Amino acid sequence: MNASTLGKDTPQVNARAKVLGRAQYAGDVKVAGMLHGKVLRSPYPHARIVRIDVSAALALPGVKAVLTGADAPRAMWGVHHKERRILAEGVVRFAGEEVAAVAAISEEIARDALDLIEVEYEELPAILTTEEALDEEAPGVHPGRNNVSHEIRFHLGDVEAGFAGADLVHEATYDCHSQYPGYLEPMATVATLDAEGRLQVWTSTQSVYQARMRLAAALEMPVSRIRVMQATTGGGFGGKIVEDANSLIAGLLAVRTGKPVRLVNNRLEDFLACCSSVPERVTLKLGMTKDGIIVAKDVRIVAECGAYSGLSAEVMHVTAMRSDNMHRLKNVRSHATLVYTNNPPHGAFRGFGGSQMLFALNSHLHMMAEKLGLDPIEVHRRNAHEAGDTSIHGWKIGSTGLRACMDQCAEAIQWQARRASRDRGTGAKRRGVGMAAAMHVSGNRTIGNWDGSTVVVKVNEDGRVVIHSGECDMGQGAMTMLAQVVAHELNIPLDHVHVAPPDTDVSPYAIGTLASRVTIAAGNAAILAGRKARQALFDVAATKLEVPADDLEIADGFIFSRRAPDRRATIAEIARLHIWRHDGEGLQVSATWDAKTVMHGDVHGNIAPAHSYAAQAVEVEVDTETGRVTVLDSYVSDDCGKAFNPLAVHGQSNGAAAQAMGWALYEQLQLENGRLANGNFADYNMPTADSIPLLRSGIVESNDPNGPYGAKGASETAILPGAPAIANAVYDAVGVRITDLPITPEKVLAGLRALRQAGEQEQGGSRHA
């Protein structure tokens, strides 16, 4: 019997623990003698710390430590720019920056101690916009340098000649705002020193090894003196990679007190501490022939990283170049500038810079298609890559389902019929349809010259399996994917496989959950490990059963001969025999898969083993009296290569669509003089069930040659087309083109007023003539 679940709707292997409340999140971890940590944050976006007096806080009964920047190691931390202290010292650079930390016997006492810390600040002028930051006379947010954190320039082909040969040239500027990740579980860490003085850390993270590396650098400790264990993680969306200070502060408190310390952000603290997505202004100029072929592309980007760079440079890099690889382009120019301000830091977010450019690009293509009398879908189709193509940046396209995604969406939304119909509704409410397309990577050889994964498979004496991997599951289903692959290779039931949570003392090294890399990298490694485990079983069984190893197969818990099925033994018997023989050992195998990609030289090189595609079509209703936009229907099509678990893919695709609707219509971080004014779910307006339609989604299986069984990343690509699809639908409904997100009622009404005024002026001009 075939026990495989590949391609079948499969509940996540850790779903039952979560539903029953048995899953242990970092905030649930309890250690004997545990203290509770709290953090004092700066109320100013920019100020000099003149004096800190912690004596009253230290005197409070139950307080065990009060730490300031003077008590922290001298090391700076950060991704590429090492520019941030664990606790600020001398100067604070954003409202919310960590100034002091308390450890006490209860959360209540720790909170009370914060109120007793006296900090004297000298408020300094704050730079709050990119325009201010780029002024020649602006002081540096970081002393000794200007406010440009990173800059990208490239020019491929002959852009000016391309524009000269174009039948239509269109230029516009698009503004994209920040979005808070909005995960259910705020950042949390429990840190303690073990009996040997090693730092043990349970934390909510997307990468235990990246977390360990950052802890070691910031705390000035050898990595081997630190153990990081991933607790059950309640969502990440990029916000839990390497940019938060929660685990660093918990680790510092544990080291200084010698006691276990629990540090859990409340929601406001998480809004202040977590990096939101990178706000960008994208000026896009495209040249196109009358047939809809793109002949030139010129991009200028000004992005804001906030007070610290973090991963913002990498995010901007994606905005500047990734979408170039979606179409057959010959002439591309880009200039992108990342700017420091005294606003809270920005960084990684689901889609990682793709959303910003694809909002601009899809909005742009819609307008140009209209001017040329073409269907926007047809423009995408005529420019789309085929499998086997190499893009302008040297990306080798092994598979692409972009056209199939658009066709699936067009059929689901009745695209042709609705666009052909002149009926846009009656009265104040008008309806329109819009569509957008996107691409993303599956893996990304840019961190260093390795983009692989290692999977360890242990077959226990009862014939059941334990998998060790350093790749993190934060709700997207990595554990389920690994279990499905190994169960498939060994032909055993899924519930006979256990995936151990990542632990740097036990798990093989892993980059972590980012760049949609886990399915393709760890999935391929799991196939190899599963096959090695199967071969190890066959080698032992062949001797016991006295048949050739290549004559064996596994089914129904038995290893048996194809030619003589009565020659059989249970998997458990063979696993025990693997130990109990001369020179035996427990059956444990390890396999590594590394993508056959190359590090890019600046902006050229085949950095990803596969590329995912998605499209989304929506129908909206616009109330012309209130300006309110309501999404009535949505269909997302996700090219994931091969869907191991359609249930999970649909869930992730529709979740991405909802998150995109939030960015497009509802969510906006409100900063007042650099201070966050809506750091809670009451005031930060995320989409709820009554504000989104019944979400629909489809799957395209393009079967990538580099993917495990043809699979590649799913779900992250699906967030990218949502905002432009909605913007295009609003334009289709009422003729208002919104280029500044979010699409608020005020902006819609302003656009309608501008249209009326333009119409009245045109009529007046006609009468005058």
Side-chain angles (χ1 to χ4, degrees):
M1 184 185 81
N2 184 0
S4 177
T5 62
L6 287 181
K8 301 175 183 177
D9 288 345
T10 305
Q12 292 198 17
V13 294
N14 50 5
R16 183 176 177 84
K18 292 179 179 180
V19 170
L20 294 177
R22 294 174 181 167
Q24 190 172 60
Y25 296 83
D28 297 326
V29 174
K30 291 181 174 61
V31 182
M34 186 172 70
L35 303 176
H36 297 267
K38 281 293 176 184
V39 176
L40 183 68
R41 301 176 184 276
S42 167
Y44 300 108
H46 193 203
R48 183 173 292 108
I49 302 173
V50 177
R51 181 181 62 88
I52 301 181
D53 185 351
V54 302
S55 57
L58 273 172
L60 185 68
V63 172
K64 300 301 180 182
V66 182
L67 304 181
T68 68
D71 303 304
R74 302 295 90 194
M76 310 287 272
W77 66 275
V79 181
H80 292 302
H81 296 307
K82 308 300 180 186
E83 58 194 5
R84 190 168 177 181
R85 297 289 304 283
I86 298 179
L87 295 170
E89 187 172 14
V91 175
V92 290
R93 292 184 172 87
F94 71 94
E97 185 164 9
E98 300 85 356
V99 173
V102 172
I105 61 173
S106 72
E107 278 199 73
E108 293 75 13
I109 293 173
R111 278 198 299 267
D112 291 342
L114 292 184
D115 294 334
L116 297 176
I117 300 173
E118 295 181 13
V119 185
E120 181 183 342
Y121 294 98
E122 177 191 344
E123 192 170 0
L124 300 173
I127 295 172
L128 302 177
T129 67
T130 55
E131 291 81 6
E132 293 172 3
L134 292 173
D135 188 286
E136 291 182 358
E137 297 182 359
V141 171
H142 295 273
R145 60 178 304 182
N146 63 24
N147 290 318
V148 175
S149 171
H150 186 62
E151 196 166 12
I152 300 167
R153 291 179 185 267
F154 61 84
H155 189 164
L156 304 174
D158 191 335
V159 172
E160 294 306 329
F163 282 126
D167 296 305
L168 174 64
V169 175
H170 179 55
E171 182 173 357
T173 297
Y174 302 86
D175 283 295
C176 303
H177 64 302
S178 289
Q179 185 176 16
Y180 171 67
Y183 36 59
L184 287 176
E185 177 211 21
M187 272 303 307
T189 303
V190 172
T192 186
L193 296 179
D194 68 9
E196 298 177 359
R198 297 176 74 234
L199 181 63
Q200 312 270 334
V201 177
W202 295 265
T203 191
S204 182
T205 183
Q206 293 176 223
S207 174
V208 290
Y209 279 97
Q210 298 290 329
R212 186 183 71 167
M213 178 178 65
R214 188 178 47 142
L215 280 160
L219 295 175
E220 299 178 340
M221 296 174 65
V223 293
S224 295
R225 300 290 294 169
I226 300 173
R227 178 186 184 188
V228 176
M229 295 158 281
Q230 188 204 18
T232 303
T233 299
F237 309 117
K240 296 179 180 177
I241 299 178
V242 291
E243 297 178 284
D244 68 278
N246 180 277
S247 60
L248 301 182
I249 296 172
L252 178 63
L253 286 168
V255 169
R256 290 290 186 262
T257 62
K259 298 283 188 179
V261 176
R262 173 184 182 267
L263 181 63
V264 179
N265 290 349
N266 63 31
R267 189 56 67 177
L268 173 59
E269 289 169 333
D270 208 82
F271 266 93
L272 293 171
C274 174
C275 287
S276 55
S277 64
V278 177
E280 298 184 8
R281 173 167 289 176
V282 179
T283 300
L284 176 61
K285 181 180 179 182
L286 284 185
M288 194 178 286
T289 68
K290 61 184 178 182
D291 297 323
I293 304 300
I294 302 169
V295 292
K297 182 180 182 182
D298 188 16
V299 179
R300 298 187 304 282
I301 299 166
V302 177
E304 181 200 344
C305 61
Y308 298 103
S309 183
L311 280 165
S312 294
E314 285 79 0
V315 172
M316 184 180 73
H317 192 279
V318 168
T319 309
M321 65 167 282
R322 183 170 293 167
S323 70
D324 296 346
N325 302 281
M326 188 165 72
H327 295 135
R328 289 172 164 170
L329 304 179
K330 295 181 179 179
N331 307 299
V332 176
R333 181 169 58 206
S334 186
H335 179 200
T337 306
L338 181 66
V339 180
Y340 287 113
T341 67
N342 289 116
N343 290 322
H346 305 291
F349 187 92
R350 188 182 199 173
F352 205 81
S355 296
Q356 293 89 324
M357 178 52 73
L358 287 162
F359 170 63
L361 181 60
N362 280 284
S363 300
H364 222 70
L365 290 182
H366 185 104
M367 297 303 290
M368 296 182 79
E370 181 181 72
K371 291 179 180 181
L372 293 171
L374 299 172
D375 188 324
I377 293 181
E378 188 58 30
V379 172
H380 276 292
R381 292 181 64 86
R382 292 179 185 182
N383 289 282
H385 276 296
E386 302 276 3
D389 285 354
T390 299
S391 77
I392 191 168
H393 291 289
W395 293 16
K396 299 183 187 303
I397 310 300
S399 66
T400 169
L402 181 59
R403 290 184 175 91
C405 287
M406 291 187 291
D407 290 345
Q408 202 174 71
C409 288
E411 181 179 355
I413 207 83
Q414 299 180 309
W415 175 257
Q416 298 294 348
R418 291 191 184 189
R419 278 177 56 83
S421 171
R422 302 314 305 160
D423 182 13
R424 292 292 183 269
T426 58
K429 295 184 177 180
R430 314 290 289 174
R431 292 188 175 189
V433 291
M435 185 179 286
M439 81 170 298
H440 193 60
V441 293
S442 287
N444 195 7
R445 200 182 200 88
T446 55
I447 292 178
N449 198 19
W450 189 62
D451 190 23
S453 190
T454 302
V455 170
V456 174
V457 171
K458 295 173 62 178
V459 182
N460 288 333
E461 304 92 299
D462 60 358
R464 300 196 177 203
V465 170
V466 176
I467 297 173
H468 290 282
S469 164
E471 313 292 2
C472 292
D473 190 323
M474 68 266 196
Q476 85 283 22
M479 285 183 168
T480 307
M481 179 274 296
L482 290 169
Q484 284 185 282
V485 170
V486 173
H488 173 82
E489 289 297 330
L490 296 176
N491 199 21
I492 59 177
L494 191 66
D495 62 4
H496 285 199
V497 179
H498 170 70
V499 183
D503 177 341
T504 57
D505 270 10
V506 178
S507 306
Y509 189 89
I511 292 173
T513 304
L514 48 98
S516 292
R517 57 175 301 283
V518 172
T519 292
I520 197 162
N524 272 316
I527 289 174
L528 297 175
R531 290 174 181 173
K532 285 178 77 171
R534 183 177 63 198
Q535 189 60 50
L537 288 167
F538 286 175
D539 289 343
V540 173
T543 301
K544 175 177 174 59
L545 301 177
E546 299 180 337
V547 297
D550 59 8
D551 181 41
L552 295 172
E553 66 177 68
I554 301 176
D556 300 322
F558 287 90
I559 300 172
F560 59 91
S561 166
R562 294 187 190 89
R563 292 177 224 168
D566 58 322
R567 295 196 173 192
R568 60 176 52 209
T570 66
I571 299 173
E573 287 178 287
I574 300 303
R576 288 194 295 271
L577 185 56
H578 196 279
I579 301 171
W580 300 105
R581 58 190 175 122
H582 281 296
D583 300 319
E585 62 178 355
L587 202 169
Q588 176 173 305
V589 301
S590 173
T592 297
W593 183 87
D594 184 27
K596 304 299 185 233
T597 49
V598 296
M599 291 286 289
H600 62 64
D602 278 342
V603 293
H604 196 274
N606 187 39
I607 61 171
H611 310 91
S612 300
Y613 298 84
Q616 184 170 355
V618 301
E619 182 183 21
V620 305
E621 182 178 77
V622 182
D623 189 323
T624 58
E625 292 180 343
T626 66
R628 181 182 178 185
V629 176
T630 303
V631 180
L632 302 176
D633 193 10
S634 169
Y635 191 94
V636 180
S637 180
D638 199 341
D639 167 27
C640 59
K642 169 67 179 176
F644 288 180
N645 186 355
L647 180 68
V649 174
H650 285 300
Q652 287 293 300
S653 296
N654 288 323
Q659 208 164 24
M661 290 178 194
W663 189 53
L665 295 173
Y666 304 113
E667 300 177 43
Q668 188 168 21
L669 292 165
Q670 301 289 345
L671 293 176
E672 297 177 1
N673 296 320
R675 298 173 176 87
L676 184 63
N678 61 335
N680 59 73
F681 285 154
D683 299 320
Y684 183 78
N685 194 18
M686 294 177 70
T688 55
D690 63 351
S691 60
I692 57 176
L694 177 66
L695 297 171
R696 301 187 291 145
S697 61
I699 294 171
V700 168
E701 295 185 314
S702 59
N703 294 305
D704 195 89
N706 294 322
Y709 315 121
K712 51 192 179 183
S715 85
E716 194 168 6
T717 321
I719 197 174
L720 304 176
I726 292 169
N728 289 338
V730 169
Y731 178 80
D732 184 56
V734 295
V736 172
R737 170 57 64 186
I738 303 293
T739 59
D740 177 11
L741 292 176
I743 302 171
T744 62
E746 293 82 1
K747 292 173 186 176
V748 172
L749 292 176
L752 290 169
R753 282 195 301 271
L755 284 178
R756 284 196 300 271
Q757 290 170 0
E760 290 167 0
Q761 290 174 357
E762 185 176 334
Q763 289 178 358
S766 299
R767 286 195 299 270
H768 183 71

